[in-house]
Amino acid sequence: MFEEWQRLEQNGTPVYVQPERPDWFVPDHEADCLFQELQQEKEPGSGRMLTAQRLVSQLAADPASLYPGRHPLLTLTSLKECWFHLTDRCNLSCRHCLFASSPAQAATLAPEALAQGIAEARALGCTIFYFTGGEPFVYPGFVAMVAELLVDPKIHVVVLSNGLLIREHLTELLALPREQFHLQLSLDGLAEQHEAQRGKGSFAGLLESLGLLKEMGFPLTLSVAVNRANVGKLAEIVAFAADQGITNIHLLWHFVRGKGSLAQFVAPALILPELIRAQEMAEKMGVRLDNVESLRSQIFSTPGTKHDLSNTAWESLAIGPDGVIYPSPALIGITELACGPLSDGLAAVWRHSPILEKIRQTSLIDSADYQANPLRFLVGGGDLDHSYLASGTLVGHDPYVELYNGLALWLISRQAHQYPIRAKAEILLRMGEVRHDCPDGGEVALTHCNCVISLADGHATVREFYGKAALTANEEIVNPFAPAQALASFIPADSRKKSYGCGSPVLDAEPQTGEVLVDLGSGSGVECFMAAAQVGPTGRVIGIDMTEEMLHLAQAATATVANRLGYDNVEFKKGFLEDLPLPDFTADVVISNCVINLSPDKRQTLHEIFRILKPGGRLVVSDIVTDEPIPVAIKNSEQFRGECLGGALRQEDLLAMLRTAGFAGI
């Protein structure tokens, strides 16, 4: 198909051009993967050939559109998570159960198959294991098996349970590491709604288990299957969770399968206002709705990132009680989606199953419905499970897409209107200015299945990166002003060694005697200690950092610095740059050393800095800027983001944001 194409240069960029259609062109780096596919693929009409043909059709319609779908841009590297549907047997008979589980059901995964599946998943790099059913706690030896698995500190286990059998396993549960074991317990509303679905006494039993688990310090999520009976109570459910000390809720969009009936389904237009009301309640009560936070992280991600369907078949698999491998936990037991028996080997099925390969070949660009949705690469295309159960096809028919779109627009509008407006005709918000955690990867990002949503707040990656660097010096992060800092002998050596900036804003800020200086992202405290010597005993220095390990390191050095200087004028506070724990007009000068690039909401950070500065105060920042846009692959790299490269702004964008925040004399 490409034999007639010629390699030319267009504006200095190598491209391939079709002589008969000069408007059909493919940049050199995009064409490489297509030619490679065609050379490898001999059978006409196969999926890989269609991928190339599909892109040519796209170029014919829109030469600027070069996205070939997710398949050419992703590779099978490691299996990140594995689901085990242990049994259909359950201590309850819920009226909406996806698998019609009950005490009478007998299908159970054989222990030897479970052991094989776990071992082979770990060999493929899997570190997250989900256990569901039925009720996992009725599976013989379940907690002992989990305890053995969690001996490896890299492993994390998530259990989906109704929570009623906790008391029977208290002693075993107490021995599990809290940071590796997470429970997602089902709640179908307040007492009346819950017991209508699960039976008399089930609400009281759940309350007892919640109390026990809270005493033991286990992290918990309440999972609420949204249906006609409870949709009007979502905000009240949030308040109930807060009263129980639970800070995370997962909303499970109803599946029409098993006992889950169409009569229980709620239209997205009816869910959205109740979901917004619940989110507003959650913010007041300190509770996270993980569905909202997950979509927020997609909406406020790197421009150019394409959220293209879920990680099913790429990073995630499910094993049913029949010992058969399926694409996802909600599709277990559907015969036409059986990918192969576990006895064939997990790796072999994962890599070679035609069903899994078909899912990997599937992309949003295959769906005419999604092509008409301008938010398609933000909402991610919906859920494969919902689409298949609603229509028998993998993409384009998730009945909840209208809900995702509505929530996305609400989040964007709400974010844009939270900033002070200081001048007319200013841009309120540009894509990329707010960034929550993104998966470590390139142009394509994969969403998660509806049963459980992986969570990380917008600061999590950075906090982990610098938390580790506070404990063990990261020799790869070199501050060019480290030699100047070395001259400040009154600062403990450990603090100087673990100062990870990219300059020295203290020198350029020229702090004066008696001034109040605030250091944002104070880290090991080096800049604060240097400023302390310059503002003198009548001045004050305040360091703000979000990382416990860095705060501990800085505070540990404070007494030594005060003793050597002869006065104590430094304090450290925990906080985020976007919500500084300081009153208005606190500082004469604000400094920051290679930290503002780490903020997930830089516009809000600049507004906060302006708020705490006294009139006539000054901001001096050392950070990385760029003249041209940074490639998506760098922006979406955890490593480069932690090193301040991934979050770097173009200079013109930074200057515009500073002006909008109220700064002058830039």
Side-chain angles (χ1 to χ4, degrees):
M1 180 171 57
F2 281 90
E3 285 80 1
E4 300 177 356
W5 290 45
Q6 297 177 359
R7 190 173 186 276
L8 304 172
E9 283 200 354
Q10 186 177 63
N11 298 326
T13 301
V15 298
Y16 283 90
V17 177
Q18 222 279 356
E20 295 180 4
R21 287 293 307 273
D23 57 325
W24 285 19
F25 65 91
V26 186
D28 197 12
H29 69 282
E30 296 282 353
D32 286 345
C33 67
L34 299 178
F35 287 113
Q36 187 176 15
E37 284 184 11
L38 291 170
Q39 291 168 0
Q40 292 174 350
E41 184 55 66
K42 303 301 182 184
E43 298 180 16
S46 69
R48 297 181 71 83
M49 182 73 77
L50 285 174
T51 298
Q53 291 171 340
R54 184 172 57 199
L55 179 58
V56 174
S57 298
Q58 268 189 281
L59 290 169
D62 178 10
S65 175
L66 297 173
Y67 179 58
R70 61 182 186 161
H71 187 267
L73 303 177
L74 298 174
T75 56
L76 285 177
T77 52
S78 65
L79 191 66
K80 292 187 176 180
E81 60 182 45
C82 193
W83 291 77
F84 290 88
H85 183 115
L86 297 174
T87 179
D88 281 342
R89 192 157 56 90
C90 187
N91 54 322
L92 296 177
S93 298
C94 301
R95 296 167 66 90
H96 57 342
C97 182
L98 185 62
F99 298 100
S101 298
S102 74
Q105 294 280 15
T108 299
L109 183 64
E112 57 272 18
L114 173 60
Q116 176 193 343
I118 290 174
E120 294 185 3
R122 292 183 67 180
L124 290 172
C126 180
T127 56
I128 305 177
F129 291 86
Y130 297 92
F131 296 100
T132 184
E135 173 52 52
F137 283 101
V138 305
Y139 190 84
F142 173 64
V143 182
M145 178 273 296
V146 169
E148 183 178 349
L149 185 57
L150 293 180
V151 169
D152 185 342
K154 297 188 298 294
I155 300 296
H156 194 85
V157 166
V158 181
V159 179
L160 283 64
S161 169
N162 60 44
L164 298 187
L165 301 179
I166 296 300
R167 181 172 287 280
E168 298 179 18
H169 299 277
L170 275 181
T171 303
E172 294 175 291
L173 288 171
L174 280 168
L176 298 181
R178 307 298 188 269
E179 67 279 4
Q180 295 172 253
F181 183 73
H182 191 96
L183 284 162
Q184 180 168 296
L185 304 183
S186 298
L187 173 72
D188 289 315
L190 304 180
E192 182 181 352
Q193 297 90 31
H194 187 82
E195 298 205 344
Q197 296 289 343
R198 297 182 176 265
K200 189 174 181 180
S202 58
F203 188 77
L206 177 61
L207 278 179
E208 179 190 13
S209 294
L210 292 178
L212 292 171
L213 291 166
K214 182 179 178 182
E215 288 180 14
M216 292 189 288
F218 280 107
L220 298 175
T221 292
L222 288 180
S223 178
V224 181
V226 178
N227 54 50
R228 287 190 179 275
N230 63 20
V231 67
K233 300 287 186 181
L234 295 183
E236 288 75 10
I237 292 171
V238 169
F240 165 79
D243 289 342
Q244 301 299 312
I246 295 170
T247 58
N248 195 61
I249 292 179
H250 172 64
L251 300 177
L252 183 65
W253 311 125
H254 179 72
F255 287 105
V256 180
R257 187 191 174 192
K259 292 183 181 178
S261 67
L262 189 58
Q264 296 167 318
F265 173 81
V266 186
L270 299 178
I271 297 175
L272 182 59
E274 298 298 336
L275 176 56
I276 290 173
R277 191 166 71 93
Q279 172 62 18
E280 291 171 341
M281 176 67 77
E283 291 169 358
K284 292 177 184 176
M285 307 293 287
V287 175
R288 292 169 59 92
L289 295 182
D290 66 7
N291 312 74
V292 176
E293 299 310 319
S294 177
L295 186 59
R296 191 196 305 273
S297 72
Q298 293 171 213
I299 299 300
F300 301 114
S301 58
T302 304
T305 302
K306 293 177 174 62
H307 295 89
D308 193 348
L309 302 176
S310 77
N311 65 348
T312 296
W314 286 104
E315 304 169 341
S316 179
L317 292 176
I319 298 171
D322 53 1
V324 173
I325 299 166
Y326 295 90
S328 68
L331 301 179
I332 281 173
I334 297 179
T335 304
E336 58 268 28
L337 293 180
C339 302
L342 183 59
S343 57
D344 284 354
L346 189 64
V349 174
W350 178 46
R351 297 185 185 281
H352 304 299
S353 162
I355 293 169
L356 295 177
E357 180 59 19
K358 180 181 179 181
I359 292 173
R360 291 191 286 265
Q361 291 276 358
T362 301
S363 171
L364 286 183
I365 66 174
D366 297 316
S367 168
D369 291 332
Y370 275 113
Q371 289 289 5
N373 182 358
L375 301 177
R376 59 189 176 277
F377 290 125
L378 296 181
V379 301
D383 187 78
L384 285 169
D385 302 343
H386 277 299
S387 183
Y388 189 86
L389 292 174
S391 69
T393 59
L394 293 165
V395 61
H397 297 279
D398 181 346
Y400 293 100
V401 168
E402 181 187 343
L403 176 63
Y404 313 146
N405 284 348
L407 181 59
L409 293 174
W410 181 78
L411 287 169
I412 293 169
S413 176
R414 196 161 181 260
Q415 183 74 35
H417 288 90
Q418 77 173 27
Y419 308 110
I421 299 176
R422 304 187 191 278
K424 293 182 179 180
E426 289 282 6
I427 292 174
L428 293 180
L429 178 67
R430 293 180 61 173
M431 191 173 184
E433 291 178 355
V434 178
R435 254 198 79 191
H436 290 259
D437 269 6
C438 297
D440 194 20
E443 180 180 352
V444 178
L446 301 175
T447 62
H448 203 266
C449 83
N450 182 49
C451 296
V452 170
I453 293 177
S454 299
L455 279 178
D457 66 69
H459 306 86
T461 301
V462 172
R463 185 164 47 224
E464 182 179 353
F465 186 91
Y466 282 97
K468 292 177 180 177
L471 299 174
T472 303
N474 189 332
E475 304 292 346
E476 295 181 357
I477 311 174
V478 180
N479 184 345
F481 277 74
Q485 292 177 350
L487 300 177
S489 58
F490 61 90
I491 302 174
D494 196 38
S495 295
R496 281 179 276 149
K497 187 176 182 181
K498 295 173 181 175
S499 172
Y500 300 116
C502 56
S504 183
V506 176
L507 300 178
D508 288 325
E510 299 180 349
Q512 302 299 305
T513 301
E515 286 191 323
V516 177
L517 178 143
V518 175
D519 180 16
L520 302 182
S522 49
S524 66
V526 167
E527 267 77 38
C528 290
F529 299 140
M530 292 176 68
Q534 294 180 263
V535 301
T538 59
R540 188 158 63 106
V541 176
I542 305 168
I544 309 290
D545 207 282
M546 68 176 181
T547 309
E548 290 280 2
E549 294 86 351
M550 282 294 185
L551 286 168
H552 178 75
L553 178 62
Q555 288 163 346
T558 301
T560 301
V561 171
N563 183 59
R564 293 175 180 176
L565 289 177
Y567 52 86
D568 183 3
N569 63 353
V570 180
E571 63 177 313
F572 294 96
K573 294 177 178 287
K574 184 176 182 180
F576 296 127
L577 273 60
E578 304 82 10
D579 186 17
L580 296 173
L582 296 171
D584 297 352
F585 313 130
T586 295
D588 296 288
V589 57
V590 172
I591 66 169
S592 185
N593 191 351
C594 217
V595 175
I596 290 178
N597 275 1
L598 304 176
S599 169
D601 188 346
K602 297 176 179 62
R603 188 178 287 272
Q604 177 63 19
T605 292
L606 295 177
H607 280 290
E608 276 290 276
I609 295 170
F610 191 85
R611 178 185 66 78
I612 68 167
L613 274 170
K614 297 175 183 178
R618 59 199 186 278
L619 166 65
V620 180
V621 177
S622 173
D623 221 322
I624 298 168
V625 295
T626 175
D627 296 323
E628 297 180 0
I630 295 175
V632 175
I634 291 180
K635 281 184 171 289
N636 283 351
S637 164
E638 291 183 4
Q639 171 89 12
F640 288 135
R641 187 177 177 196
E643 294 175 356
C644 295
L645 300 173
L649 288 171
R650 287 199 304 175
Q651 179 170 298
E652 62 186 78
D653 296 334
L654 173 60
L655 296 179
M657 288 169 62
L658 284 164
R659 287 192 297 269
T660 302
F663 288 95
I666 302 168

